[in-house]
Amino acid sequence: MSQETTLDGARVSVRVPAKVNLFLAVRGVRDDGYHELTTVLQTVSIFDELRVAVTGPPGQGHHPAARRRMRLVLRHGGQAGLPDGEANLAVRAGLLLGRAAGVLDGVTETAPAGPTTLLELAKAIPIAGGMAGGSADAAAALVALNELWRCELPRQRLRELAGELGSDVPFCVTGGTALASGRGTALAQVLCKGRFHWVVVPDAVPLRTGDVYRAWDERCEASEIEPDAVLQALRSADAVALGAALHNDLEPAAFALRPELADRKDRLIAAGALGAVLSGSGPTMLALVADKSHARAVADVVTPALGAPILATSPAGGPEVRASATPPRSRDPERPLK
Ligand code: ATP
């Protein structure tokens, strides 16, 4: 963000965590084609960071009309599988917010050189790993740009916009621990005491969510299992009980597509984990452990056979504004806000 002039000196940085599904039951296929789910989601301490700023030649950023034709430009580290432009959920979230809040007039790729909103994305959440990385970035963009553009939309309105971007995005806007039903978007916050420790095993080869649900359609039955044991373990901060209660109905489907994932789960349990579960549609596998030193011990046993695991804790809050510099509104009274 250093090469361009940052207009008004305005910039915002938001850190956003990944998620794990501690429990996921598939109830069947709905009339609209989505699968009906009951799932318990929790944020995990693997973070992406999104920095946003309005940049451009000096003097152009102050005219409200110029700002309404602003372009959104995304920069990232060029990781394999990470899309550019509007294919990236962070940009889609920015365009949706800009239009909903009346800040942007529309898609602005053809706009004359003028002010640009630059989004710089530093990714640590595995891509296409079942940890909602794209959804987390969309949530980060909603929160960061709401602040940068001073839209002042309440979190509830951001959650509504989030629902238009993807099933996991409303949860990522809120963070913490939640019970979700329907497509995964109807959320209720869940009481979670204590902090849980994880050994996270990503996989370099992505698993497409659609392929996993198709495999579930072909070989699995709707399940009636309920999340009571997981909810009770969270309420009582009981890692042993949580390890025993972790559950994901998508595992048989994902394991049919990628048999090595079943082997990975067995290895983590054999290494002493309290439990292990595939996150969402995978392929990331998470092993629950008692504490930090237990995490190191389990990671040592499975390294290098399972690559380089990441040590993490949960819950990990929600999108967090880490740095913010926005000018006082009185300097730019004409600027459109809503
Ligand atoms: P989910 O569990 O929500 O289906 P996931 O965690 O398995 O998602 P993501 O990392 O969100 O996977 O990536 C899924 C796909 O979304 C990727 O293959 C990529 O093409 C696309 N995508 C769009 N924007 C992003 C982003 N900001 N980060 C990662 N992937 C993105």
Side-chain angles (χ1 to χ4, degrees), residues 19 21 48 74 81-83 87-90 92 121 123 125-138 168 206-209 279-283:
K19 65 89 192 170
N21 299 81
D48 284 354
L74 174 74
L82 189 54
N88 195 294
L89 271 173
R92 282 225 287 280
L121 178 60
K123 273 211 81 83
I125 303 174
I127 297 167
M131 300 197 80
S135 304
D137 297 342
D168 284 338
L207 245 184
R208 289 162 56 126
T209 305
S279 185
S281 56

Side-chain angles (χ1 to χ4, degrees), residues 15-94:
R15 190 180 81 154
V16 65
K19 65 89 192 170
V20 56
N21 299 81
L22 303 173
F23 175 92
L24 192 156
V26 186
R27 306 304 191 195
V29 186
R30 299 154 35 127
D31 291 343
D32 63 8
Y34 285 100
H35 289 75
E36 179 77 20
L37 305 179
T38 304
T39 183
V40 179
L41 300 143
Q42 184 161 76
T43 50
V44 186
S45 66
I46 301 173
F47 299 98
D48 284 354
E49 179 132 6
L50 186 70
R51 292 186 292 273
V52 296
V54 179
T55 67
Q60 291 197 357
H62 300 276
H63 194 282
R67 281 193 183 256
R68 295 182 74 86
R69 296 193 312 270
M70 219 162 17
R71 295 182 310 152
L72 293 191
V73 172
L74 174 74
R75 288 198 193 138
H76 57 69
Q79 292 96 327
L82 189 54
D84 294 306
E86 273 192 67
N88 195 294
L89 271 173
V91 175
R92 282 225 287 280

Side-chain angles (χ1 to χ4, degrees), residues 47-271:
F47 299 98
D48 284 354
E49 179 132 6
L50 186 70
R51 292 186 292 273
V52 296
V54 179
T55 67
Q60 291 197 357
H62 300 276
H63 194 282
R67 281 193 183 256
R68 295 182 74 86
R69 296 193 312 270
M70 219 162 17
R71 295 182 310 152
L72 293 191
V73 172
L74 174 74
R75 288 198 193 138
H76 57 69
Q79 292 96 327
L82 189 54
D84 294 306
E86 273 192 67
N88 195 294
L89 271 173
V91 175
R92 282 225 287 280
L95 292 171
L96 182 68
L97 174 74
R99 288 177 191 136
V103 173
L104 296 178
D105 283 335
V107 181
T108 54
E109 285 305 316
T110 55
T116 291
T117 293
L118 183 61
L119 295 87
E120 287 188 339
L121 178 60
K123 273 211 81 83
I125 303 174
I127 297 167
M131 300 197 80
S135 304
D137 297 342
L142 290 175
V143 171
L145 295 173
N146 190 43
E147 175 133 345
L148 182 78
W149 293 336
R150 288 183 290 174
C151 306
E152 295 178 2
L153 299 188
R155 278 283 163 121
Q156 181 49 35
R157 179 71 183 120
L158 294 185
R159 275 191 286 273
E160 285 165 20
L161 294 174
E164 297 179 33
L165 293 161
S167 300
D168 284 338
V169 189
F171 171 72
C172 292
V173 169
T174 309
T177 312
L179 175 64
S181 56
R183 272 169 53 197
T185 47
L187 295 172
Q189 284 295 303
V190 160
L191 178 63
C192 174
K193 291 188 180 156
R195 191 156 161 248
F196 297 96
H197 293 258
W198 301 91
V199 176
V200 181
V201 182
D203 192 306
V205 183
L207 245 184
R208 289 162 56 126
T209 305
D211 292 345
V212 176
Y213 276 100
R214 261 188 298 282
W216 184 91
D217 292 340
E218 283 160 18
R219 67 194 77 225
C220 301
E221 299 278 308
S223 91
E224 292 179 0
I225 182 168
E226 295 293 345
D228 303 10
V230 165
L231 298 175
Q232 174 57 36
L234 293 173
R235 266 198 302 274
S236 51
D238 186 338
V240 173
L242 182 62
L246 295 169
H247 177 84
N248 185 346
D249 274 344
L250 292 175
E251 282 184 354
F255 293 174
L257 297 173
R258 298 275 294 279
E260 71 274 19
L261 295 177
D263 173 62
R264 190 165 295 176
K265 179 169 176 165
D266 292 344
R267 278 180 188 244
L268 287 162
I269 304 284

